Amino acid sequence: MENKVKETIEDKINNDDLHLFMKGTPLFPQCGFSSTVVQILTYLEAPFSSTNVLEDEDIREGIKEFSDWPTICLLYTSDAADEEDSVDLGGRRII
């Protein structure tokens, strides 16, 4: 993964307490997993930011490498940008 992509991912994770890498947007999710996670976070009134990975192929592939997980959606806490101490809350399967 290019350094620029890694830095972008780390910046997105560090900007908010929760950041969701998803397919689509919170208002228009493009997969069932993303939709379910958005519904859970909305129900819990948990503020979160999101990145639509469908808009940027480098981010879409980069987050898979960053997380060492092949599927999206992925939810991170703000202290997860350091890969060694990563706190990837996972996708719908875990949440």
Side-chain angles (χ1 to χ4, degrees):
M1 160 182 10
E2 292 180 23
N3 261 355
K4 182 180 182 216
V5 173
K6 183 179 177 186
E7 289 172 8
T8 299
I9 290 169
E10 289 172 344
D11 287 345
K12 289 177 180 293
I13 292 170
N14 285 326
N15 281 335
D16 294 292
D17 289 338
L18 290 173
H19 189 84
L20 180 62
F21 291 89
M22 63 182 291
K23 293 178 181 174
T25 66
L27 292 176
F28 194 62
Q30 295 292 301
C31 80
F33 293 143
S34 295
S35 178
T36 300
V37 173
V38 168
Q39 288 176 23
I40 291 168
L41 294 172
T42 302
Y43 175 79
L44 295 173
E45 297 180 1
F48 69 99
S49 59
S50 65
T51 297
N52 179 0
V53 299
L54 299 177
E55 293 179 344
D56 188 329
E57 189 64 27
D58 290 336
I59 296 293
R60 183 177 183 170
E61 293 306 313
I63 192 61
K64 292 177 189 179
E65 184 178 336
F66 183 87
S67 67
D68 194 28
W69 194 256
T71 59
I72 298 166
C73 65
L74 293 162
L75 182 64
Y76 279 87
T77 63
S78 60
D79 59 349
D82 180 0
E83 288 183 74
E84 302 214 359
D85 298 324
S86 183
V87 183
D88 171 10
L89 299 179
R92 183 186 68 98
R93 299 163 303 284
I94 297 170
I95 296 171

